[in-house]
Amino acid sequence: MQWEVVIGLEIHAQLATQSKIFSGASTAYGAAPNTQADLVTLGYPGVLPVLNQDVVVMAAKFGLAVDATVAPRSVFARKNYFYPDLPKGYQISQYELPIVEHGHIDLTLDDGSVKRVGITRAHLEEDAGKSLHENLDGKTGIDLNRAGTPLLEIVSEPDIRSAKEAVNYMRRIHQIVRYLGISDGNMQEGSFRCDANVSVRPRGQEEFGTRTEIKNLNSFRFVEKAINFEIERQIEVLEDGGKIVQETRLYDSDRDETRSMRGKEEANDYRYFPDPDLLPVEISPEFLAAVKSAMPELPQAKADRLIEQYGLKAAEVEVLTASRAMADYFEAVAASADAQLAANWVCGELSGALNKDNVDITDSRVDAAALAQLIQRISDNTISGKIAKEVFAAMWAGEGGADEIIAAKGLKQITDSGAIEAVVDQVIADNPDQVQQFRDGKDKVLGFFVGKVMQATQGKANPGQVNQMLRDKLKS
Ligand code: ADP
Ligand code: MG
């Protein structure tokens, strides 16, 4: 039997505000436990939540970015459940009236086709605290610093059809929230994570199969692996004549498997109701217009523009627009150097060095102005592209700017034809057999001669001149 996979993702993006969603306590990561838990966070009686306006702006930006409806009126609701890391006994979320609805994003698939994934809704809510078990001598500690941190929960339609597509979708959402500057997207710190809902159905069947939900996936790799494991597991159960139980599962990355966490029968009845402590959020057309006018250029628009403006290829542009910082860096280089060379270098040597040393582009050891200078030296024939890689490595190692290194290491290209001619004549004189081969029509031997000349000049002879001169002399 042929199975079709159906996936819907619920992504939690932590919003990049200074203070919490309903109080002035700091949201900075990594502080000592409970130092950022004020009275509102602790749920003391008599205190009232006050909505942080920044989260409304951020949610509205997201809504506009995914072509969604930003609701003129949305309502906070209490989601009631008991857990030690939730001091109030309820989480403030949005339920029936979320701030964002009916959006979509377009994914480019491997075969180049475009696939639209619907975004059902995105709603604002507060995060819970954290239970700590390590180094506590068998006890459990509660850290409420994270409680009250603003989250945007982004819920997709069940439009996704493979683990790979799920990762593609999640990467695009990640890219968008980072472009918008509404989340730092830091997955190690839990600022960007997702729950994956997975089911399978016989191909051709309209009705969805029963789904399971894999909770709290915090890396793209885990999303792909957990979903693939779950697909295999469900197919195996069904092919053995069993039934899928609707349940919540956890992914164990050490064992690369998902395990049941709780079944539907244990599912909570959250008794949602509108929070009487908070007013509905009303967004006027003027407010929305102001948000719209402050929107940055989004990834797709930027990619289209880079192709148009610099004549680059789609594959290069995808690398260059991976983040706003990357695109800004490229444009800063291209402002004073050849754009195609700038693209080659940013996608090639620079990306390689950043990856190798695990450095973010914003902390690059070679800044845009320095890379532009290096590229100018290729364009004006001071050095060859090959020597430039050597210069770049020295720049990356902190040995100085391009001009400085070229001078200090004596790497300036030899363009003086007299000097090149002397070497060319010597190489021809030293290799009579190869000369004969060339004259017998074996054109490929030219490469041998070029190599010899380059070797003799430590790669500094201008390759164009060398080629031309060798051809002329070998023919005569
Ligand atoms: P809940 O209220 O339990 O979270 P929702 O109906 O809001 O459930 O759906 C949550 C997520 O599950 C959404 O992303 C949705 O697209 C997805 N989903 C719903 N039904 C299925 C299914 N049969 N298979 C896979 N995903 C599904
Ligand atoms: Mg859910």
Side-chain angles (χ1 to χ4, degrees):
M1 169 146 8
Q2 286 275 326
W3 296 96
E4 186 181 37
V5 173
V6 173
I7 300 164
L9 296 188
E10 295 163 276
I11 294 176
H12 288 90
Q14 183 180 317
L15 296 175
T17 54
Q18 300 291 314
S19 58
K20 294 187 177 177
I21 183 168
F22 300 119
S23 81
S26 168
T27 54
Y29 180 82
N34 298 311
T35 54
Q36 290 163 181
D38 60 347
L39 296 180
V40 173
T41 302
L42 292 169
Y44 268 45
V47 296
L48 288 172
V50 177
L51 180 61
N52 182 338
Q53 178 171 301
D54 284 353
V55 305
V56 178
V57 173
M58 290 178 178
K61 277 187 179 168
F62 179 78
L64 292 171
V66 297
D67 290 323
T69 306
V70 178
R73 184 170 178 278
S74 61
V75 170
F76 284 103
R78 291 187 183 179
K79 178 178 180 179
N80 300 280
Y81 65 97
F82 175 77
Y83 206 74
D85 64 16
L86 189 75
K88 297 194 297 295
Y90 60 86
Q91 176 193 27
I92 305 177
S93 182
Q94 295 187 311
Y95 189 55
E96 284 168 336
L97 295 170
I99 189 162
V100 168
E101 277 187 295
H102 313 305
H104 60 82
I105 57 168
D106 291 330
L107 306 178
T108 306
L109 304 184
D110 281 347
D111 64 4
S113 65
V114 172
K115 148 127 196 196
R116 179 160 287 190
V117 175
I119 292 172
T120 318
R121 57 188 271 147
H123 61 257
L124 289 165
E125 62 184 26
E126 59 177 347
D127 207 345
K130 251 193 260 185
S131 299
L132 308 170
H133 309 286
E134 268 166 54
N135 305 321
L136 284 168
D137 199 20
K139 300 193 184 77
T140 295
I142 304 290
D143 177 6
L144 294 171
N145 283 353
R146 203 181 64 185
T149 298
L151 300 177
L152 187 65
E153 176 170 340
I154 304 156
V155 182
S156 86
E157 288 290 309
D159 290 344
I160 298 163
R161 291 292 172 269
S162 70
K164 235 175 141 192
E165 254 178 57
V167 172
N168 189 337
Y169 166 83
M170 194 176 172
R171 280 190 191 281
R172 292 276 294 138
I173 298 285
H174 189 247
Q175 186 188 35
I176 288 170
V177 298
R178 294 188 67 219
Y179 262 69
L180 293 171
I182 65 173
S183 174
D184 65 18
N186 188 324
M187 297 173 87
Q188 276 103 48
E189 293 178 3
S191 306
F192 194 84
R193 52 194 199 257
C194 95
D195 304 337
N197 296 269
V198 180
S199 67
V200 299
R201 62 180 169 188
R203 199 168 284 284
Q205 176 184 306
E206 196 159 336
E207 197 187 327
F208 287 148
T210 304
R211 71 181 145 123
T212 59
E213 178 173 8
I214 316 164
K215 280 279 179 199
N216 254 327
L217 298 162
N218 65 351
S219 88
F220 295 119
R221 205 163 56 89
F222 292 167
V223 168
E224 182 161 359
K225 290 183 125 190
I227 292 175
N228 277 330
F229 175 88
E230 188 55 21
I231 292 168
E232 291 304 311
R233 188 191 70 84
Q234 290 188 11
I235 291 175
E236 212 173 293
V237 169
L238 293 169
E239 291 190 341
D240 285 350
K243 277 204 160 76
I244 301 302
V245 188
Q246 182 168 348
E247 62 183 356
T248 304
R249 297 178 72 87
L250 269 189
Y251 177 66
D252 178 340
S253 57
D254 292 331
R255 299 167 67 165
D256 188 23
E257 63 179 30
T258 65
R259 276 201 301 274
S260 179
M261 196 167 116
R262 55 171 187 260
K264 200 190 177 189
E265 55 283 8
E266 303 156 51
N268 293 298
D269 171 7
Y270 293 120
R271 294 176 293 123
Y272 280 100
F273 64 86
D275 192 320
D277 287 346
L278 287 156
L279 291 168
V281 181
E282 290 187 347
I283 295 181
S284 67
E286 294 75 32
F287 182 92
L288 199 58
V291 170
K292 197 168 194 168
S293 68
M295 294 274 282
E297 186 178 34
L298 291 170
Q300 195 54 56
K302 200 184 273 294
D304 293 344
R305 180 174 63 76
L306 294 191
I307 290 173
E308 167 82 22
Q309 186 173 339
Y310 301 101
L312 302 174
K313 289 185 278 295
E316 297 169 321
V317 163
E318 197 176 316
V319 178
L320 296 175
T321 56
S323 71
R324 231 165 106 181
M326 187 84 161
D328 288 348
Y329 185 104
F330 161 73
E331 293 212 87
V333 178
S336 55
D338 178 78
Q340 184 62 61
L341 282 177
N344 297 350
W345 276 81
V346 173
C347 296
E349 296 295 304
L350 182 80
S351 291
L354 293 171
N355 285 340
K356 189 167 148 280
D357 290 356
N358 197 17
V359 180
D360 195 82
I361 183 104
T362 49
D363 302 321
S364 174
R365 295 196 191 125
V366 173
D367 68 21
L371 183 60
Q373 186 185 68
L374 176 65
I375 293 171
Q376 286 160 13
R377 294 301 160 261
I378 304 170
S379 299
D380 67 14
N381 283 322
T382 304
I383 51 173
S384 66
K386 196 155 172 235
I387 292 283
K389 292 190 178 173
E390 193 182 326
V391 176
F392 179 84
M395 289 166 74
W396 190 259
E399 292 174 32
D403 286 341
E404 225 176 317
I405 292 164
I406 293 166
K409 298 194 174 215
L411 295 172
K412 200 167 165 342
Q413 189 159 239
I414 305 167
T415 50
D416 167 17
S417 41
I420 296 177
E421 186 166 15
V423 181
V424 165
D425 287 342
Q426 188 62 46
V427 167
I428 289 176
D430 289 348
N431 298 284
D433 292 353
Q434 281 80 2
V435 173
Q436 195 50 51
Q437 287 172 14
F438 184 84
R439 292 191 175 144
D440 293 344
K442 208 172 155 198
D443 277 356
K444 273 200 272 179
V445 210
L446 187 71
F448 164 82
F449 285 106
V450 173
K452 285 280 177 201
V453 174
M454 285 305 189
Q455 205 178 1
T457 59
Q458 285 105 45
K460 290 186 286 184
N462 178 293
Q465 276 175 285
V466 171
N467 261 287
Q468 194 53 48
M469 204 176 281
L470 275 167
R471 266 183 205 287
D472 293 347
K473 291 199 178 250
L474 286 167
K475 275 184 188 144
S476 62

